[in-house]
């Protein structure tokens, strides 16, 4: 299967010399080609160039099945990579949303047994098939919004049996959906009801029973811990990460959402692929992240939805760090996987430039889930995961028109998935 996109107004996010991620000043430089064509063959990006040098006839001879798509007036960019979601869950939590409007904080709701524990109860009461069906709809929804690769966490099970149930649902989604999926085991998402008096006993369960069981079935790529005030401490986090590493699970952790929790330093110490949230980040944390391979990943959707402060993206970029932006799609703190809206929050609330934001939702998030060699840019040999926009003036229009649906076509693995795929 070969496809040629022609007349592209602007081909964005090109890489000729691929790098794992983009940091500091380089984040504001997006490589692009105006009036371009893009050739995809057998699921990969094969070549691209300016329209005036298009070898159409040569391509037709070379690829007799060549399908041609016109993108006149439109922009083509790499499909979004969303490196932090909890999109496998049962039901929804709009009642807590109303409680929040009435004045209860996220932490207060959690203390009263709501929040994550509410999703745990819903998940336990829902069959694996039903959870799969609900989650598949969410995967299709984000795919239609331009996401081509996504990381999904467990963490609403909080018992060995239900954590495995969640991870099996993620595995099924991985096998059946066109979106590329990475799985993270997040048994340490919250302390379940029976363990409140002795949280270390729950950590024992995570370390001694859950991690070996998850590894035995090969259900996860990464391990995560909610290392924050009121959830898991640094010593507990370290125990869990060490056990995960023994079983080949690389860390990607929740850190510094609610306080200066020490989570960022812990993530760096254990060579986490990413530390995520980071609303509470100061100079010490920034220094610690510099020269590490750990991707600072910001989740502005959670700050927006919970009315919390935003992470200091500008300071991070000025200091030379890379920044990734993910959706955190989950029922409690960010019930949306719309990465275009995350781009808008990046610009409006984090004061990132549209060019910086583009890197933050493509290549840098690809890195944050170990996919940078195959995803996140328009690069010869990478997977043909691209988005064609509607007719728009330029890149900045995407985050600017924050409520408009500007996604025209989503191509994954070189095949049109939206709008052709009827879901
Ligand atoms: O990333 N912060 C911890 N976990 C999720 C929230 C999950 C929930 O409230 O259901 C987050 O925001
Ligand atoms: Fe999260």
């Amino acid at each position: 299967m070969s496809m040629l996109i022609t007349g592209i107004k602007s081909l964005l996010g090109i890489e000729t010399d691929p790098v794992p991620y983009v940091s500091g000043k380089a984040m504001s430089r997006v490589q692009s080609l105006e009036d371009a064509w893009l050739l995809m063959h057998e699921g990969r990006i094969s070549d691209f160039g300016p329209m005036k040098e298009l070898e159409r006839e040569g391509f037709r001879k070379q690829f007799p099945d060549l399908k041609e798509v016109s993108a006149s007036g439109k922009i083509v960019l790499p499909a979004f990579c969303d490196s932090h979601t909890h999109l496998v869950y049962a039901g929804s939590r709009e009642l807590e949303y109303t409680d929040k409007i009435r004045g209860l904080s996220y932490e207060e709701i959690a203390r009263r047994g709501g929040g994550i524990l509410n999703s745990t109860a819903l998940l336990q009461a829902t069959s694996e098939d039903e959870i799969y069906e609900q989650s598949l709809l969410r995967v299709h929804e984000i795919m239609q919004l331009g996401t081509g690769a996504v990381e999904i966490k467990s963490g609403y099970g909080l018992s060995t049996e239900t954590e495995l149930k969640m991870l099996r649902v993620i595995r099924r989604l991985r096998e059946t959906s066109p979106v590329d999926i990475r799985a993270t085991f997040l048994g340490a998402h919250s302390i379940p009801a029976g363990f409140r008096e002795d949280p270390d006993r729950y950590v024992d369960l995570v370390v001694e029973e859950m991690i070996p069981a998850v590894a035995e079935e090969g259900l996860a790529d990464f391990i995560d811990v909610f290392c924050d005030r009121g959830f898991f401490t640094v010593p507990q986090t370290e125990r869990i990460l060490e056990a995960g590493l023994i079983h080949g699970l690389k860390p990607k952790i929740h850190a510094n959402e609610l306080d200066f929790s020490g989570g960022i330093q812990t993530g760096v110490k254990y060579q986490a692929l990413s530390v995520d949230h980071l609303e509470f980040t100061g100079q010490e944390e920034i220094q610690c992240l510099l020269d590490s391979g750990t991707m600072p990943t910001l989740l502005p959707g959670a700050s927006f939805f919970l009315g919390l402060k935003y992470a200091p993206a500008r300071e991070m970029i000025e200091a030379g760090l890379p920044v990734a932006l993910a959706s955190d799609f989950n029922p409690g703190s960010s019930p949306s996987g719309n990465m275009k809206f995350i781009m808008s929050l990046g610009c409006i609330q984090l004061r990132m430039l549209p060019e910086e934001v583009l890197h933050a939702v493509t290549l840098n998030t690809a890195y944050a889930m170990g996919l940078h060699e195959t995803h996140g840019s328009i690069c010869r040999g990478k997977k043909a995961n691209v988005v064609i926009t509607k007719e728009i003036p330029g890149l900045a229009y995407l985050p600017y028109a924050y409520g408009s649906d500007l996604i025209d076509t989503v191509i994954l693995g070189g095949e049109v998935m939206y709008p052709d795929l009827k879901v």
Side-chain angles (χ1 to χ4, degrees), residues 84 86 153 254 277 299 328 330:
H84 182 137
H86 310 248
K153 299 170 194 297
H254 280 75
H277 270 295
L299 311 171
D328 199 15
N330 77 74

Side-chain angles (χ1 to χ4, degrees), residues 154-155 158 163 185-190 192 202 206 210 224 232:
S154 69
L158 306 183
E163 281 296 308
F185 167 62
L186 174 57
H189 196 190
S190 186
Y202 182 64
V206 171
M210 291 190 197
D224 193 346
F232 293 86

Side-chain angles (χ1 to χ4, degrees), residues 67-341:
K67 186 178 167 192
E68 214 173 294
V69 175
S70 164
S72 160
K74 300 170 179 177
I75 284 177
V76 171
L77 62 150
F80 301 129
C81 297
D82 189 353
S83 61
H84 182 137
T85 82
H86 310 248
L87 69 72
V88 167
Y89 58 85
S92 55
R93 303 213 316 253
E94 66 277 13
L95 290 180
E96 280 169 24
Y97 175 66
T98 324
D99 285 342
K100 278 193 279 265
I101 294 166
R102 291 205 173 96
L104 283 187
S105 73
Y106 183 68
E107 285 173 281
E108 182 57 33
I109 291 170
R111 267 195 298 276
R112 293 178 182 202
I116 293 167
L117 298 183
N118 196 350
S119 285
T120 298
L122 282 164
L123 189 107
Q124 279 168 353
T126 309
S127 74
E128 197 169 311
D129 283 347
E130 176 58 26
I131 298 165
Y132 168 76
E133 293 301 334
Q134 291 184 18
S135 306
L136 185 63
L137 288 178
R138 294 182 198 115
V139 172
H140 284 153
E141 183 188 336
I142 62 167
M143 188 269 287
Q144 295 179 358
L145 293 166
T147 295
V150 65
E151 179 258 19
I152 311 175
K153 299 170 194 297
S154 69
Y156 292 123
L158 306 183
S159 71
T160 306
E161 191 194 327
T162 43
E163 281 296 308
L164 291 173
K165 173 164 138 181
M166 282 190 81
L167 288 165
R168 289 187 194 117
V169 168
I170 300 174
R171 178 172 63 192
R172 220 166 130 191
L173 291 170
R174 197 170 176 155
E175 288 163 359
T176 53
S177 117
V179 175
D180 298 305
I181 294 176
R182 285 290 173 271
T184 299
F185 167 62
L186 174 57
H189 196 190
S190 186
I191 295 149
F195 295 85
R196 294 247 127 173
E197 300 309 309
D198 190 2
D200 282 330
R201 259 201 329 116
Y202 182 64
V203 176
D204 291 343
L205 185 72
V206 171
V207 166
E208 289 160 17
E209 196 176 287
M210 291 190 197
I211 293 174
V214 168
E216 167 87 27
E217 277 194 56
L219 287 169
D221 304 291
F222 309 114
I223 186 156
D224 193 346
V225 177
F226 189 5
C227 179
D228 226 321
R229 186 179 71 201
F231 290 84
F232 293 86
T233 64
V234 167
Q236 290 169 340
T237 303
E238 293 196 335
R239 261 193 80 198
I240 294 167
L241 297 188
E242 274 166 28
L245 282 168
I246 288 169
H247 287 86
L249 301 174
K250 203 165 169 61
K252 258 175 81 62
I253 70 171
H254 280 75
N256 298 45
E257 176 185 8
L258 307 170
D259 205 351
F260 290 96
S261 64
I264 294 177
Q265 288 87 339
T266 308
V268 170
K269 178 173 166 193
Y270 285 86
Q271 296 179 339
L273 200 48
S274 70
V275 283
D276 302 26
H277 270 295
L278 316 191
E279 285 80 356
F280 287 82
T281 300
Q283 278 313 315
E284 197 184 316
E285 285 75 14
I286 288 177
Q287 284 309 315
C288 172
L289 282 161
L290 280 167
D291 295 321
S292 76
T294 299
M295 177 62 65
T297 302
L298 315 185
L299 311 171
S303 300
F304 169 75
F305 189 78
L306 297 178
L308 301 177
K309 70 174 186 169
Y310 287 85
R314 267 287 32 104
E315 283 88 326
M316 293 177 179
I317 295 171
E318 305 304 335
L321 283 175
V323 162
L325 297 179
S327 75
D328 199 15
F329 192 175
N330 77 74
S333 70
S334 187
S336 166
N338 187 338
M339 289 295 275
K340 182 179 153 297
F341 182 59

Side-chain angles (χ1 to χ4, degrees), residues 27 298 313-314 317 323 325 346-347 350-354 356-357 360:
M27 284 193 74
L298 315 185
R314 267 287 32 104
I317 295 171
V323 162
L325 297 179
C347 291
L350 303 176
R351 296 194 300 113
M352 291 170 68
L353 297 167
E356 293 172 330
V357 152

